[in-house]
Amino acid sequence: MKTALLIIDIQNDYFPGGKMELVGSIEAAAATERLLAAFRKQSWPIFHVQHINTRPRSTFFLPDTAGSEIYASVSPMPREPVITKHFPSSFQETNLAEQLQDAEVDTLLVCGMMSHMCVDTTVREAFRLGFSCIVTHDACATRELTFNGVTVSAAQVHASYMAALGTVFARVLGVDEILENMAATA
């Protein structure tokens, strides 16, 4: 099995001062930075995903803005591919699947933003395409949502999506457990 780190949409607009600030974005980026360092140390495959909004009336991740840039602490090295996407799925109208197949990857270690949108959609599509997935729950962030007059806290949104993904689509682990497993197999 060959595992790749897939970092989804850790971009400036999701951080304090951005146009779509998430709860826990700084902590999720710090956890991702730890995974990124471990993968770089082992020279294991890393793929960055950057969302650029092209829909009319979009308010964040606008083309050619500082908000759409990948957050500095997890920015790609020159040899690390950056997949540009315009939809919640990192696979829709991108060549991510082909790049993963070319790299002989069969397992994805997924982290990023937002838990309830692009992380969820990408993991479900990866599962459909035959990839095994591990979601790093503490390297993901989201925001509160409202439905039918009820406000659901970001923590509850995140927990609900991690629970749902963990039932069929992925193993859901914390960064410490993943790094311990990596150290044991390196």
Side-chain angles (χ1 to χ4, degrees):
M1 290 177 55
K2 191 172 186 182
T3 301
L5 179 62
L6 183 63
I7 303 172
I8 302 172
D9 301 350
I10 300 185
Q11 296 169 241
N12 292 335
D13 271 340
Y14 282 152
F15 290 84
K19 293 183 178 183
M20 180 60 76
E21 184 177 343
L22 302 183
V23 173
S25 58
I26 292 171
E27 295 81 3
T32 299
E33 188 176 1
R34 293 173 60 206
L35 293 171
L36 188 56
F39 268 71
R40 285 175 175 161
K41 183 177 179 182
Q42 296 296 327
S43 298
W44 291 348
I46 299 163
F47 293 83
H48 300 262
V49 178
Q50 181 180 25
H51 193 117
I52 302 296
N53 263 325
T54 56
R55 291 187 342 237
R57 296 185 301 280
S58 295
T59 59
F60 65 102
F61 292 165
L62 301 176
D64 304 315
T65 63
S68 69
E69 293 174 9
I70 293 174
Y71 194 64
S73 70
V74 296
S75 63
M77 301 291 281
R79 69 184 191 286
E80 297 167 357
V82 177
I83 308 299
T84 301
K85 69 178 181 68
H86 308 291
F87 300 97
S89 172
S90 298
F91 293 97
Q92 186 176 349
E93 296 185 19
T94 72
N95 67 349
L96 177 59
E98 292 80 11
Q99 286 196 43
L100 293 170
Q101 290 165 351
D102 289 347
E104 299 178 346
V105 168
D106 60 2
T107 302
L108 299 176
L109 178 58
V110 180
C111 52
M113 303 174 185
M114 294 187 277
S115 307
H116 74 279
M117 184 62 68
C118 298
V119 171
D120 177 70
T121 305
T122 296
V123 169
R124 289 170 189 260
E125 182 65 7
F127 176 85
R128 188 189 72 76
L129 293 170
F131 293 97
S132 295
C133 295
I134 302 164
V135 178
T136 311
H137 66 82
D138 49 357
C140 295
T142 196
R143 64 188 187 101
E144 72 178 24
L145 297 175
T146 303
F147 174 73
N148 203 24
V150 176
T151 299
V152 183
S153 73
Q156 289 297 315
V157 171
H158 181 72
S160 295
Y161 276 83
M162 294 300 109
L165 288 174
T167 59
V168 173
F169 303 102
R171 290 177 57 212
V172 179
L173 303 172
V175 68
D176 288 337
E177 185 176 1
I178 290 166
L179 291 174
E180 287 171 15
N181 290 341
M182 287 175 66
T185 60

